[in-house]
Amino acid sequence: MTHIKTIAKPILKQTAHTGGCGECQTSCQSACKTSCTVGNQVCEK
Amino acid sequence: MKSKVHLFTQLNKHFALDVGSGAIHLVTPPAFRLLSLIIAAGETSLSQTIPPRILQEVITINGIHEAWNELYALYNEGMLFSPDNSENLELPTKTPLKALCVHIAHDCNLRCGYCFADTGSFSSERGCMDIHTAKKAVDFLIERSGNRRNLEIDFFGGEPLLAFDVIKQAVEYARKLEKIHNKQFRFTLTTNGLLLNDDVISHINSEMKNVVLSLDGRNEVNDTHRTTIGGKGSYDVIVPKFQKVASTRKGDYFIRGTFTSKNLDFTEDILHIADLGFNNISIEPVVLEKGHDLEIREEHLPEIFAEYDRLTEILAARDDINFFHFNIDLEGGPCVYKRLRGCGAGGEYAAVTPSGSLYPCHQFAGRAEYKMGSVLDGSFTPNTELTVNHIKIRKGCSDCWAKYFCGGGCAAANLNINEDINIPYHIGCEMQKMRIECAIALKASTI
Ligand code: SF4
Ligand code: SF4
């Protein structure tokens, strides 16, 4: 492709099968305590 | 939702984010133009060839058919205008507790002008947690954590180091229990730094996975708000101590500051903190009740956006600053369940006050109507209003392109500003969306 470079794969559907274990860090515990987002969290798996 | 593809330009690059699949594409100007026209025409799918109405407008652009063919290929692969049904997924109903914010002290040795906790007291009596209650909090977390192995405790306040001894004993107690119960504790500490000394630093370095050090940036910015009880600034005392923590530490740390309407040029604060030798920095918009002198108002947004643009450009050119709010994991990141439920307050996350009372999170502490139980008698009723699918329940989130990155925002901010946990704090949303765009562009600049 010359017009498009995909920088993030379509992960939403995929993690519907693999996710949900709950071992990841709680968002507001990291550095924030006010305006957390989930997008910057990492998966533990 | 209105359009299933969100377009934006950042760092002079064009991006198309496919909401339904989570795919993000860096696109050329012709492809960007085509997508803009398609979205403006209200289309939600692509046909094999450029629709005549749109072709008229782009016919002179070089490579336009090639760009269309590529967009069409992505569409067929489910990475553009893909169906958005993830928000309808059923969430697991059982959410064991996995994180506690332990309010070691509802008291503070600073009197910051913007403190959401009413300068540490949380609008009630000042005081520290005793060791009995702290141990009960540890027991409670273990008991309620089901089969979760990784458990988190953040020692918070007020200023938690006012009762450093309680922290030390609680850590020791939890470490003993983790082996017995097959758990792993991750401790963090949030401190204003005044009471840091060699002894405390050595404990933090050996036990805390992360330490959050509060500093707002430039000397005069910090000292305007972060003053001692006697009204003196804190910068000169805390900076050398924070430098010592950062230079002796192997685990994570963050310098965490707040910007208010009085320092909308907060990039200067971030650069100042970096000049002091710190790499991990988080500077965040202040959260205040409506009408406060320092609050961020709608009219500040253009200036804040311009500042985030400037910061993005600066960060793209250097690799020694890890800015918390521009972190994004494009390869993996959290699973869709976490993206739907967001912060977890009231279910997997809770806060314990010095008297042992449980609240959905640190920002709810002290709001009697949100009390969920007590670690002293083990009572606990998770808040079912908060643990549901945020994207579906919060007003406007379902139609928002950022929903799977944001996770439905902050209930406490919604309550503060709109008196309703499910009505998003609009100004927070606008800043959030801007930061997500900056984060994506920054990440793309490294690929
Ligand atoms: S940015 Fe606002 S509207 Fe969008 S998902 Fe987050 S809270 Fe909801
Ligand atoms: S309600 Fe807000 S402050 Fe509380 S944990 Fe959630 S995002 Fe954080």
Side-chain angles (χ1 to χ4, degrees):
Chain A
M1 291 217 176
T2 54
H3 287 274
I4 302 165
K5 183 169 166 191
T6 297
I7 57 167
K9 298 213 172 73
I11 45 147
L12 286 180
K13 306 255 151 52
Q14 182 191 324
T15 60
H17 305 294
T18 56
C21 75
E23 291 293 349
C24 49
Q25 192 186 27
T26 312
S27 340
C28 237
Q29 292 284 65
S30 29
C32 179
K33 295 280 184 189
T34 53
S35 47
C36 6
T37 141
V38 287
N40 65 358
Q41 303 287 308
V42 290
C43 173
E44 290 281 332
K45 281 195 178 169
Chain B
M1 74 180 296
K2 287 184 213 101
S3 168
K4 293 178 184 167
V5 174
H6 172 66
L7 299 178
F8 64 96
T9 301
Q10 181 55 267
L11 287 176
N12 296 318
K13 294 197 180 93
H14 302 304
F15 296 88
L17 183 153
D18 185 47
V19 178
S21 69
I24 305 172
H25 315 285
L26 189 57
V27 301
T28 58
F32 194 74
R33 176 90 177 116
L34 282 169
L35 285 170
S36 313
L37 291 168
I38 285 285
I39 292 167
E43 301 286 345
T44 53
S45 62
L46 297 186
S47 51
Q48 197 167 357
T49 52
I50 308 178
R53 272 183 310 143
I54 287 174
L55 186 59
Q56 285 172 18
E57 302 203 35
V58 292
I59 194 133
T60 54
I61 301 177
N62 252 348
I64 202 75
H65 290 284
E66 198 185 354
W68 184 267
N69 291 342
E70 291 185 17
L71 291 173
Y72 186 64
L74 278 191
Y75 169 66
N76 278 330
E77 285 170 46
M79 290 201 275
L80 262 186
F81 299 102
S82 67
D84 174 19
N85 38 29
S86 295
E87 69 183 39
N88 298 324
L89 276 176
E90 215 156 292
L91 292 179
T93 46
K94 276 204 176 140
T95 49
L97 189 69
K98 65 177 180 186
L100 274 186
C101 183
V102 178
H103 294 220
I104 288 291
H106 273 191
D107 198 357
C108 195
N109 43 9
L110 286 185
R111 291 289 181 270
C112 306
Y114 47 57
C115 183
F116 74 79
D118 199 13
T119 65
S121 71
F122 287 81
S123 309
S124 65
E125 238 169 79
R126 293 183 180 272
C128 292
M129 185 178 275
D130 60 28
I131 183 59
H132 173 68
T133 310
K135 283 182 174 172
K136 282 282 189 189
V138 172
D139 291 339
F140 179 80
L141 177 54
I142 293 175
E143 268 162 37
R144 294 279 172 172
S145 62
N147 54 6
R148 296 275 155 88
R149 187 168 137 73
N150 295 322
L151 305 182
E152 299 157 36
I153 288 188
D154 184 27
F155 296 107
F156 197 66
E159 172 48 43
L161 291 182
L162 287 173
F164 175 54
D165 208 41
V166 176
I167 296 177
K168 254 176 34 186
Q169 291 180 61
V171 167
E172 197 183 320
Y173 180 69
R175 289 278 182 239
K176 262 193 218 147
L177 293 185
E178 66 184 351
K179 288 181 196 79
I180 303 170
H181 297 276
N182 187 30
K183 304 284 179 188
Q184 188 177 325
F185 276 100
R186 293 173 177 174
F187 298 108
T188 57
L189 172 81
T190 303
T191 178
N192 65 28
L194 282 186
L195 294 174
L196 286 170
N197 58 33
D198 287 351
D199 192 27
V200 176
I201 292 175
S202 132
H203 184 265
I204 290 174
N205 285 347
S206 65
E207 294 292 355
M208 306 286 163
K209 178 152 192 310
N210 188 13
V211 54
V212 180
L213 310 164
S214 305
L215 169 73
D216 284 350
R218 289 162 289 180
N219 193 332
E220 63 280 13
V221 170
N222 184 81
D223 285 0
T224 303
H225 308 301
R226 304 191 65 80
T227 51
T228 61
I229 300 169
K232 277 176 47 190
S234 56
Y235 181 98
D236 288 338
V237 182
I238 58 176
V239 167
K241 295 181 187 223
F242 288 171
Q243 285 168 325
K244 185 148 196 189
V245 174
S247 65
T248 54
R249 205 168 154 69
K250 290 200 183 70
D252 304 335
Y253 76 87
F254 265 96
I255 296 287
R256 188 224 180 274
T258 300
F259 75 81
T260 71
S261 57
K262 305 280 185 240
N263 64 314
L264 296 177
D265 60 344
F266 54 86
T267 299
E268 295 306 321
D269 295 293
I270 294 166
L271 295 176
H272 178 82
I273 293 170
D275 285 345
L276 293 172
F278 301 108
N279 306 109
N280 304 311
I281 304 170
S282 175
I283 293 285
E284 305 182 16
V286 72
V287 177
L288 285 167
E289 71 278 10
K290 247 192 191 137
H292 196 290
D293 186 34
L294 301 172
E295 85 176 321
I296 308 281
R297 292 190 300 273
E298 183 89 33
E299 72 248 33
H300 298 134
L301 284 176
E303 204 175 331
I304 293 173
F305 291 165
E307 198 63 10
Y308 277 133
D309 281 338
R310 181 161 88 98
L311 179 61
T312 308
E313 273 168 34
I314 293 170
L315 297 189
R318 55 193 283 181
D319 58 6
D320 60 334
I321 302 178
N322 168 22
F323 182 61
F324 179 74
H325 277 299
F326 285 176
N327 282 344
I328 197 160
D329 183 352
L330 295 182
E331 266 136 54
C335 63
V336 65
Y337 300 100
K338 184 170 180 119
R339 291 172 192 261
L340 296 177
R341 197 177 262 145
C343 66
E348 52 184 32
Y349 176 52
V352 195
T353 65
S355 62
S357 299
L358 287 155
Y359 291 91
C361 85
H362 51 288
Q363 287 212 43
F364 282 95
R367 281 185 180 260
E369 67 278 27
Y370 282 94
K371 190 175 163 187
M372 303 196 298
S374 165
V375 297
L376 294 181
D377 61 15
S379 57
F380 184 51
T381 313
N383 184 316
T384 46
E385 265 188 315
L386 284 167
T387 52
V388 288
N389 182 326
H390 287 177
I391 306 296
K392 291 206 79 155
I393 202 165
R394 296 202 175 150
K395 204 163 168 240
C397 292
S398 183
D399 282 334
C400 172
W401 67 263
K403 57 187 173 182
Y404 298 123
F405 294 89
C406 165
C410 170
N414 299 352
L415 189 63
N416 269 344
I417 305 287
N418 295 326
E419 290 167 18
D420 185 332
I421 52 173
N422 289 322
I423 301 183
Y425 162 45
H426 165 70
I427 295 172
C429 293
E430 293 308 308
M431 290 188 283
Q432 173 79 283
K433 290 189 278 188
M434 177 70 186
R435 290 192 300 256
I436 293 169
E437 292 183 354
C438 296
I440 292 170
L442 263 183
K443 192 78 182 185
S445 70
T446 65
I447 297 176

